[in-house]
Amino acid sequence: MAGTSLLALLDDIATLLDDISVMSKIAAKKTAGVLGDDLALNAQQVSGVKAERELPIVWAVAKGSFRNKAILVPSALLISSFMPSAITPLLMFGGAFLCYEGFEKIAHSFLHPSSTPEEACIRLKSMPKDINAFEKEKIQGAVRTDFILSAEIVVISLGTIATGTFTEQVGVLTLISILMTIGVYGLVAGIVKLDDAGLYLSKKNNSLQRTLGYTLLHSAPYLMKTLSIAGTAAMFTVGGSILMHGTPGAHDVIHHAQQSVMHLAVIGHAMAAITPLLLEALGGLLAGAIILAIVSGVKRLLGK
């Protein structure tokens, strides 16, 4: 009897793991788009630091990401069980914050020109303190951004397994959270160290390796610049997408816009495919501008 019970238990565990594996594959496909935005945003967030500090900062942000998911997964399960109607407003708040941060970055680049020689001298004298503050700010900003993107990943994953048992939901969300975090920050670490890899290969005797090394050295800055732009754009596309999906009637507007451009000659189908993305980005840009104006006005009123 004991042997039969043990075999039955093992069979139940195997079945559960198989179900979790299948559900995790579905959830991973659904969250693939957010994963790309997450990668671009985080690669952008850790750029601009000293080479020897890149990996420690990536590791610090990765630990923050694990903490985020350790908070988000239980919270999402509790909210889904007891207050499912609160998920959309919370996501919209996160999307609005993402749009605000993205527009604040753009506004800062236009409103704050390069520092004067006098300011550069002052900054140089206090460099150790500034470096620590700069790194801390980078890490905090990346962890905040990760929190919103992680929340979207968790909610999307939860939506794909809504019909599963509570145990299956816990298993899928845990697996997705771990794999996504390792995957994103493993790739971020590889991207930020491309120039070091290029420098190493450029010193080799083999001509093919040297050529590859020089190619990496020359392309790494352009890749980081591209990721920086893509990361800022992703703030608007992700934030705008969250706001659009949570705003009544917005989906109908996007659908009508798709239908309108579908009939254009030659480029109709291509335009229909990118129209939702463009409208979501535009909505995110406008939302970010409005929120920044409100925040700036409130700060002026408070004298800060």
Side-chain angles (χ1 to χ4, degrees):
M1 288 294 290
T4 304
S5 300
L6 178 60
L7 289 175
L9 175 62
L10 291 174
D11 183 63
D12 289 341
I13 292 173
T15 302
L16 176 62
L17 291 175
D18 185 58
D19 291 341
I20 289 173
S21 176
V22 172
M23 291 180 177
S24 296
K25 289 178 182 178
I26 297 172
K29 289 179 181 178
K30 292 283 187 179
T31 56
V34 184
L35 179 63
D37 293 333
D38 199 0
L39 174 62
L41 278 171
N42 282 291
Q44 176 229 358
Q45 291 279 26
V46 299
S47 63
V49 299
K50 286 187 175 182
E52 64 270 18
R53 295 294 303 156
E54 287 173 341
L55 290 183
I57 288 178
V58 172
W59 173 236
V61 178
K63 288 191 292 185
S65 180
F66 276 118
R67 286 195 297 269
N68 286 342
K69 292 177 177 67
I71 296 169
L72 286 167
V73 170
S75 299
L77 290 168
L78 287 172
I79 293 172
S80 178
S81 299
F82 299 105
M83 292 187 299
S85 59
I87 291 179
T88 298
L90 288 172
L91 267 179
M92 288 190 70
F93 177 81
F97 182 76
L98 208 55
C99 295
Y100 162 73
E101 278 209 326
F103 199 84
E104 198 275 336
K105 285 178 183 292
I106 295 176
H108 186 274
S109 65
F110 283 102
L111 297 176
H112 297 275
S114 302
S115 29
T116 62
E118 290 79 9
E119 291 172 337
C121 288
I122 294 172
R123 184 174 178 82
L124 198 60
K125 290 177 182 178
S126 58
M127 186 60 78
K129 183 178 179 181
D130 281 352
I131 288 175
N132 291 334
F134 178 71
E135 287 187 1
K136 187 177 180 181
E137 184 181 349
K138 281 278 185 182
I139 292 169
Q140 289 175 344
V143 172
R144 280 199 308 269
T145 301
D146 176 272
F147 188 89
I148 298 168
L149 291 170
S150 294
E152 191 178 11
I153 288 171
V154 169
V155 171
I156 291 173
S157 300
L158 188 61
T160 63
I161 54 170
T163 57
T165 65
F166 181 77
T167 305
E168 288 171 341
Q169 290 178 354
V170 172
V172 170
L173 291 182
T174 301
L175 184 60
I176 287 291
S177 297
I178 292 172
L179 292 179
M180 288 290 185
T181 304
I182 293 173
V184 166
Y185 290 100
L187 286 172
V188 169
I191 289 170
V192 299
K193 299 309 288 184
L194 269 180
D195 52 352
D196 289 343
L199 182 62
Y200 173 77
L201 290 173
S202 67
K203 296 179 180 178
K204 293 290 185 179
N205 294 326
N206 185 287
S207 60
L208 182 61
Q209 289 179 322
R210 285 202 308 273
T211 302
L212 178 59
Y214 290 132
T215 302
L216 289 176
L217 279 173
H218 285 93
S219 61
Y222 295 104
L223 175 61
M224 293 305 298
K225 183 66 176 177
T226 301
L227 285 173
S228 179
I229 296 171
T232 303
M235 287 183 169
F236 298 120
T237 55
V238 175
S241 174
I242 294 172
L243 294 176
M244 288 287 192
H245 282 86
T247 302
H251 179 73
D252 294 331
V253 172
I254 293 175
H255 179 70
H256 288 314
Q258 275 187 296
Q259 293 300 314
S260 299
V261 299
M262 180 74 76
H263 303 292
L264 293 174
V266 183
I267 61 171
H269 289 284
M271 286 300 297
I274 65 172
T275 292
L277 186 66
L278 293 175
L279 290 177
E280 288 166 358
L282 179 61
L285 190 67
L286 292 174
I290 293 169
I291 296 168
L292 180 61
I294 293 172
V295 171
S296 300
V298 170
K299 284 182 177 180
R300 288 194 187 95
L301 287 174
L302 296 177
K304 295 183 179 179

